Amino acid sequence: MTPTEIRAPAISWRIENLGEVSSTSDIALERARLGEPEGLVIRAESQTKGRGRLGRSWLSPPGYGLYFSTLLRPPLPGDQLAVLSLVCALAIAEGLEETGGIPARLKWPNDIRLGEKKVGGILLDFESSGAAKPAVIVGFGLNLKSPPDGYPDEFASRTTSMEAAGCRLPQSEEILHTLLNRLRLRYQDFIESGFKPLRERWESHSDGIGRRFSFSIADAPLEGIMRGIDEAGRLILDTGEGNLHSVDTGEIIES
Ligand code: BTN
């Protein structure tokens, strides 16, 4: 940092603990529309309409998971905001390692994994009304224990919980605080210096580099080897003969 650069003030979290809600992200979005400043955390015991990426739902029964959404207002241009999901995933992986004692891995763009299975995910929503700076709602879902009836069939073989993966399982309060502390640090790094210095950290937590994947983007399937991510957080896919593609959307299908 040069002497003229100013450190961004660290964010202070204001946590609101709720019982059963529809979706913590929907509540945070509503508050953003009303002009709520950044730092709000909506955390719920359970969700009746938990939302996941790609229009999926997120199973959110009471007692089995941690469900919370943070309201951020990053002072950055809109085209730099999507990469925030990778910043947040990195923070959660680091926080999980700290609290659970097991190395967490990242699957692009923002799945958090223990071993080969997903233990948590992140959902970004954007809201541009209500205040000068647009809001980004970052919703976090983390599986603490596997529910007695298991996970929905289509995900069961690819999903785990901290307990099932053999993690130390502290009180959810303690996990939440560890994750929010880590998020505060990584968010501050991102605001001050962008994604560039975090990219290597993200890659060192990735379990996909060097592996072959296929993608379904629009109707065009794309297959290749993941070489890493670029400074905008796009996945770099090597489709052979020196052809590198930047992928900025979609979901990895392992081949
Ligand atoms: C994913 O599909 O991987 C993202 C899942 C995000 C789920 C969390 S739970 C808390 C917050 N509220 C929601 O409705 N979704 C997110």
Side-chain angles (χ1 to χ4, degrees):
M1 193 162 69
T2 66
T4 49
E5 280 178 282
I6 298 167
R7 282 192 72 81
I11 197 166
S12 305
W13 302 117
R14 304 181 302 285
I15 305 173
E16 294 188 12
N17 284 298
L18 306 176
E20 181 181 276
V21 302
S22 54
S23 153
T24 55
S25 290
D26 289 348
I27 294 175
L29 267 171
E30 190 49 43
R31 297 281 288 273
R33 278 182 205 117
L34 298 171
E36 179 87 25
E38 78 171 350
L40 176 71
V41 180
I42 301 287
R43 181 257 179 115
E45 272 304 303
S46 62
Q47 303 181 112
T48 52
K49 288 190 179 146
R51 294 188 281 113
R53 286 182 68 232
L54 309 172
R56 295 180 179 135
S57 56
W58 187 261
L59 187 70
S60 317
Y64 293 92
L66 186 59
Y67 321 111
F68 66 101
S69 299
T70 59
L71 192 165
L72 305 173
R73 293 194 184 273
L76 297 172
D79 61 354
Q80 287 177 29
L81 298 184
V83 73
L84 193 53
S85 69
L86 279 78
V87 175
C88 294
L90 172 64
I92 298 305
E94 291 178 341
L96 269 193
E97 281 173 26
E98 194 181 322
T99 194
I102 287 189
R105 315 300 295 160
L106 295 171
K107 178 181 167 188
W108 187 90
N110 49 24
D111 279 2
I112 295 126
R113 313 222 293 179
L114 290 173
E116 290 286 302
K117 295 183 176 182
K118 177 164 173 168
V119 71
I122 289 173
L123 178 73
L124 251 57
D125 287 292
F126 299 91
E127 169 56 50
S128 56
S129 64
K133 280 184 242 158
V136 184
I137 308 300
V138 190
F140 300 87
L142 178 66
N143 301 330
L144 301 179
K145 300 185 204 170
S146 306
D149 295 339
Y151 294 104
D153 285 350
E154 48 176 325
F155 306 118
S157 62
R158 293 179 275 137
T159 307
T160 192
S161 62
M162 284 181 71
E163 185 180 65
C167 285
R168 187 178 82 88
L169 197 61
Q171 293 294 309
S172 52
E173 221 49 42
E174 185 186 330
I175 302 177
L176 178 68
H177 283 100
T178 307
L179 300 185
L180 287 174
N181 274 335
R182 204 39 93 137
L183 189 59
R184 171 191 290 123
L185 295 175
R186 292 289 162 249
Y187 180 60
Q188 196 175 5
D189 291 342
F190 175 60
I191 298 301
E192 287 172 2
S193 314
F195 186 61
K196 204 171 164 187
L198 296 175
R199 173 182 156 194
E200 264 183 36
R201 268 180 197 274
W202 192 99
E203 287 186 337
S204 71
H205 281 79
S206 163
D207 63 1
I209 296 175
R211 284 168 73 168
R212 178 168 287 278
F213 295 116
S214 60
F215 278 87
S216 177
I217 299 167
D219 281 331
L222 200 59
E223 190 173 324
I225 295 174
M226 177 178 177
R227 296 292 179 209
I229 55 172
D230 67 15
E231 285 169 17
R234 290 177 296 231
L235 184 146
I236 303 164
L237 195 70
D238 180 346
T239 55
E241 294 166 6
N243 290 317
L244 295 181
H245 293 258
S246 295
V247 182
D248 61 7
T249 185
E251 185 176 42
I252 284 182
I253 301 159
E254 301 186 33
S255 36

